[in-house]
Amino acid sequence: MVNTALTGRCFCGEVQFEVTGQPAAMGYCHCESCRTWSAGPVNAFSLWSPDSLRITRGAQSIASFAKNPQSERKWCTRCGGHLFTDHPHWKLVDIYAALLPQLKFEPGVHVHYQETVLPIRDGVVKYKDMPKEMGGSGETLPE
Ligand SMILES: [Zn+2]
Ligand SMILES: [Zn+2]
């Protein structure tokens, strides 16, 4: 498979980036942190190796906030548009799926489903919190 770069940008276009390779995982996070950060009912995520991501414009306009050390949330200081969440302990970066219009988004998992405010009946596995290999209980919930 040819690794063509996918391109993305913030809401105003000040920050632009490209990503190459394949995501490690894609899915939906229903946790309260994602909801209050995004002001949306669910976060559609795509997780990548940090090496896959290259900022091509506006790197100086990226700000960061970490409510906890697991998630460093990034946004554009010009428009306030959200960009990424770094997960340093997993060595992964969440590039919000909504910012990668060329990405073939194939959600494989729902995480933190015990916190959902928007149940999604799509037949995709629903973890109560997180899969075991990501440090969670590994327990699943019905839709
Ligand atoms: Zn912007
Ligand atoms: Zn979350």
Side-chain angles (χ1 to χ4, degrees):
M1 177 175 232
V2 182
N3 282 333
T4 49
L6 306 179
T7 55
R9 53 191 358 237
C10 68
F11 183 58
C12 74
E14 165 80 7
V15 179
Q16 297 180 16
F17 56 92
E18 61 180 37
V19 64
T20 49
Q22 296 298 316
M26 294 184 274
Y28 300 102
C29 186
H30 296 258
C31 84
E32 186 187 19
S33 289
C34 284
R35 286 187 280 110
T36 52
W37 165 252
S38 68
V42 66
N43 173 38
F45 64 80
S46 69
L47 294 171
W48 302 76
S49 160
D51 301 336
S52 311
L53 175 63
R54 200 167 69 85
I55 308 300
T56 52
R57 186 180 191 281
Q60 75 287 351
S61 299
I62 299 175
S64 184
F65 179 79
K67 189 175 184 180
N68 61 59
Q70 281 84 47
S71 299
E72 295 171 5
R73 295 171 187 266
K74 316 269 184 180
W75 73 94
C76 167
T77 55
R78 183 158 171 250
C79 69
H82 295 176
L83 293 162
F84 325 112
T85 300
D86 272 336
H87 296 297
H89 63 304
W90 294 330
K91 296 188 172 60
L92 290 170
V93 57
D94 172 10
I95 304 175
Y96 305 128
L99 298 190
L100 291 171
Q102 302 143 314
L103 176 69
K104 191 168 188 292
F105 183 64
E106 291 174 329
V109 65
H110 291 258
V111 296
H112 294 294
Y113 202 67
Q114 65 182 343
E115 299 178 46
T116 191
V117 298
L118 182 69
I120 298 176
R121 291 177 181 88
D122 59 359
V124 173
V125 62
K126 312 286 187 307
Y127 283 96
K128 181 181 166 192
D129 42 71
M130 293 286 277
K132 268 211 170 84
E133 59 271 29
M134 302 293 275
S137 70
E139 286 175 48
T140 59
L141 295 173
E143 299 194 323

mmCIF file of all heavy atoms in Angstrom, residues 10 13-14 21 39-40 46 49 57 61 70 76-77 81 98 116 120 129-130 133 137 140:
data_model
loop_
_atom_site.group_PDB
_atom_site.id
_atom_site.type_symbol
_atom_site.label_atom_id
_atom_site.label_comp_id
_atom_site.label_asym_id
_atom_site.label_seq_id
_atom_site.Cartn_x
_atom_site.Cartn_y
_atom_site.Cartn_z
ATOM 1 N N CYS A 10 -6.488 23.432 10.765
ATOM 2 C CA CYS A 10 -7.397 23.892 11.808
ATOM 3 C C CYS A 10 -8.566 24.632 11.167
ATOM 4 O O CYS A 10 -8.631 24.826 9.950
ATOM 5 C CB CYS A 10 -6.661 24.787 12.798
ATOM 6 S SG CYS A 10 -6.171 26.357 12.060
ATOM 7 N N GLY A 13 -7.173 27.640 9.173
ATOM 8 C CA GLY A 13 -6.144 27.356 8.182
ATOM 9 C C GLY A 13 -4.751 27.820 8.563
ATOM 10 O O GLY A 13 -3.789 27.546 7.845
ATOM 11 N N GLU A 14 -4.628 28.498 9.695
ATOM 12 C CA GLU A 14 -3.314 28.938 10.178
ATOM 13 C C GLU A 14 -2.380 27.738 10.406
ATOM 14 O O GLU A 14 -1.219 27.755 10.036
ATOM 15 C CB GLU A 14 -3.501 29.724 11.482
ATOM 16 C CG GLU A 14 -2.260 29.961 12.314
ATOM 17 C CD GLU A 14 -1.408 31.106 11.792
ATOM 18 O OE1 GLU A 14 -1.836 31.804 10.856
ATOM 19 O OE2 GLU A 14 -0.304 31.268 12.329
ATOM 20 N N GLY A 21 1.317 7.102 6.578
ATOM 21 C CA GLY A 21 1.211 5.775 7.189
ATOM 22 C C GLY A 21 -0.233 5.441 7.477
ATOM 23 O O GLY A 21 -1.152 5.964 6.852
ATOM 24 N N ALA A 39 -16.764 20.247 23.358
ATOM 25 C CA ALA A 39 -18.128 20.774 23.356
ATOM 26 C C ALA A 39 -19.014 19.955 22.421
ATOM 27 O O ALA A 39 -19.951 20.484 21.818
ATOM 28 C CB ALA A 39 -18.173 22.260 23.005
ATOM 29 N N GLY A 40 -18.703 18.683 22.274
ATOM 30 C CA GLY A 40 -19.499 17.776 21.448
ATOM 31 C C GLY A 40 -19.813 16.521 22.233
ATOM 32 O O GLY A 40 -19.173 16.257 23.258
ATOM 33 N N SER A 46 -8.511 9.354 15.699
ATOM 34 C CA SER A 46 -7.621 8.470 14.950
ATOM 35 C C SER A 46 -6.257 8.595 15.610
ATOM 36 O O SER A 46 -5.748 9.692 15.821
ATOM 37 C CB SER A 46 -7.582 8.814 13.454
ATOM 38 O OG SER A 46 -6.941 10.040 13.189
ATOM 39 N N SER A 49 1.250 7.156 15.276
ATOM 40 C CA SER A 49 2.571 7.359 15.833
ATOM 41 C C SER A 49 2.928 8.834 15.663
ATOM 42 O O SER A 49 2.689 9.409 14.603
ATOM 43 C CB SER A 49 3.572 6.489 15.072
ATOM 44 O OG SER A 49 4.866 7.012 15.270
ATOM 45 N N ARG A 57 2.615 24.096 8.596
ATOM 46 C CA ARG A 57 2.390 25.541 8.676
ATOM 47 C C ARG A 57 1.847 25.871 10.066
ATOM 48 O O ARG A 57 1.049 25.106 10.619
ATOM 49 C CB ARG A 57 1.351 25.955 7.619
ATOM 50 C CG ARG A 57 1.134 27.437 7.488
ATOM 51 C CD ARG A 57 0.073 27.732 6.418
ATOM 52 N NE ARG A 57 0.026 29.138 6.088
ATOM 53 C CZ ARG A 57 -0.579 30.054 6.841
ATOM 54 N NH1 ARG A 57 -1.199 29.731 7.951
ATOM 55 N NH2 ARG A 57 -0.551 31.331 6.461
ATOM 56 N N SER A 61 1.667 28.616 16.292
ATOM 57 C CA SER A 61 0.305 28.964 16.728
ATOM 58 C C SER A 61 -0.398 27.807 17.417
ATOM 59 O O SER A 61 -1.614 27.828 17.588
ATOM 60 C CB SER A 61 -0.529 29.425 15.527
ATOM 61 O OG SER A 61 0.053 30.574 14.946
ATOM 62 N N GLN A 70 -1.794 12.327 30.931
ATOM 63 C CA GLN A 70 -2.059 11.363 29.859
ATOM 64 C C GLN A 70 -2.467 12.036 28.546
ATOM 65 O O GLN A 70 -2.370 11.423 27.494
ATOM 66 C CB GLN A 70 -3.197 10.392 30.257
ATOM 67 C CG GLN A 70 -2.772 9.285 31.182
ATOM 68 C CD GLN A 70 -2.782 9.722 32.636
ATOM 69 O OE1 GLN A 70 -3.747 10.327 33.106
ATOM 70 N NE2 GLN A 70 -1.707 9.466 33.353
ATOM 71 N N CYS A 76 -5.358 25.672 17.932
ATOM 72 C CA CYS A 76 -4.815 26.827 17.225
ATOM 73 C C CYS A 76 -5.137 28.089 18.018
ATOM 74 O O CYS A 76 -6.296 28.337 18.350
ATOM 75 C CB CYS A 76 -5.428 26.909 15.827
ATOM 76 S SG CYS A 76 -5.121 28.493 15.000
ATOM 77 N N THR A 77 -4.096 28.886 18.300
ATOM 78 C CA THR A 77 -4.313 30.080 19.114
ATOM 79 C C THR A 77 -5.016 31.186 18.327
ATOM 80 O O THR A 77 -5.522 32.132 18.911
ATOM 81 C CB THR A 77 -2.978 30.639 19.639
ATOM 82 O OG1 THR A 77 -2.108 30.878 18.521
ATOM 83 C CG2 THR A 77 -2.319 29.663 20.592
ATOM 84 N N GLY A 81 -9.560 26.504 17.111
ATOM 85 C CA GLY A 81 -9.930 25.177 16.606
ATOM 86 C C GLY A 81 -9.021 24.095 17.161
ATOM 87 O O GLY A 81 -7.807 24.278 17.270
ATOM 88 N N ALA A 98 -12.242 14.396 12.326
ATOM 89 C CA ALA A 98 -12.928 15.458 11.584
ATOM 90 C C ALA A 98 -11.948 16.368 10.838
ATOM 91 O O ALA A 98 -12.337 17.065 9.901
ATOM 92 C CB ALA A 98 -13.776 16.297 12.543
ATOM 93 N N THR A 116 -21.244 7.514 28.186
ATOM 94 C CA THR A 116 -21.855 8.043 26.965
ATOM 95 C C THR A 116 -23.088 8.893 27.228
ATOM 96 O O THR A 116 -23.870 8.624 28.138
ATOM 97 C CB THR A 116 -22.221 6.909 25.975
ATOM 98 O OG1 THR A 116 -22.567 7.508 24.724
ATOM 99 C CG2 THR A 116 -23.385 6.054 26.470
ATOM 100 N N ILE A 120 -24.548 4.858 20.465
ATOM 101 C CA ILE A 120 -24.436 4.656 19.016
ATOM 102 C C ILE A 120 -24.598 3.165 18.745
ATOM 103 O O ILE A 120 -23.785 2.362 19.197
ATOM 104 C CB ILE A 120 -23.073 5.182 18.501
ATOM 105 C CG1 ILE A 120 -22.957 6.688 18.750
ATOM 106 C CG2 ILE A 120 -22.900 4.862 17.015
ATOM 107 C CD1 ILE A 120 -21.602 7.301 18.376
ATOM 108 N N ASP A 129 -14.495 1.218 29.869
ATOM 109 C CA ASP A 129 -13.494 2.284 29.936
ATOM 110 C C ASP A 129 -12.531 2.107 28.762
ATOM 111 O O ASP A 129 -12.766 2.664 27.695
ATOM 112 C CB ASP A 129 -12.801 2.351 31.310
ATOM 113 C CG ASP A 129 -12.452 0.974 31.865
ATOM 114 O OD1 ASP A 129 -11.528 0.333 31.326
ATOM 115 O OD2 ASP A 129 -13.096 0.549 32.841
ATOM 116 N N MET A 130 -11.483 1.305 28.978
ATOM 117 C CA MET A 130 -10.504 1.142 27.907
ATOM 118 C C MET A 130 -10.167 -0.340 27.753
ATOM 119 O O MET A 130 -10.328 -1.126 28.696
ATOM 120 C CB MET A 130 -9.209 1.903 28.255
ATOM 121 C CG MET A 130 -9.351 3.405 28.301
ATOM 122 S SD MET A 130 -9.491 4.133 26.667
ATOM 123 C CE MET A 130 -7.758 4.203 26.243
ATOM 124 N N GLU A 133 -5.101 -3.699 27.047
ATOM 125 C CA GLU A 133 -3.758 -3.354 26.566
ATOM 126 C C GLU A 133 -3.508 -1.846 26.609
ATOM 127 O O GLU A 133 -2.373 -1.405 26.480
ATOM 128 C CB GLU A 133 -3.502 -3.924 25.164
ATOM 129 C CG GLU A 133 -4.452 -3.458 24.083
ATOM 130 C CD GLU A 133 -5.693 -4.348 23.951
ATOM 131 O OE1 GLU A 133 -6.122 -4.967 24.945
ATOM 132 O OE2 GLU A 133 -6.239 -4.402 22.828
ATOM 133 N N SER A 137 -10.039 -1.705 32.050
ATOM 134 C CA SER A 137 -10.549 -2.961 32.617
ATOM 135 C C SER A 137 -10.757 -4.014 31.527
ATOM 136 O O SER A 137 -10.816 -5.200 31.825
ATOM 137 C CB SER A 137 -11.893 -2.696 33.324
ATOM 138 O OG SER A 137 -12.903 -2.405 32.359
ATOM 139 N N THR A 140 -16.566 -4.937 28.458
ATOM 140 C CA THR A 140 -17.379 -4.345 27.392
ATOM 141 C C THR A 140 -18.811 -4.183 27.883
ATOM 142 O O THR A 140 -19.244 -4.832 28.834
ATOM 143 C CB THR A 140 -17.343 -5.188 26.117
ATOM 144 O OG1 THR A 140 -17.819 -6.493 26.407
ATOM 145 C CG2 THR A 140 -15.913 -5.294 25.570
#
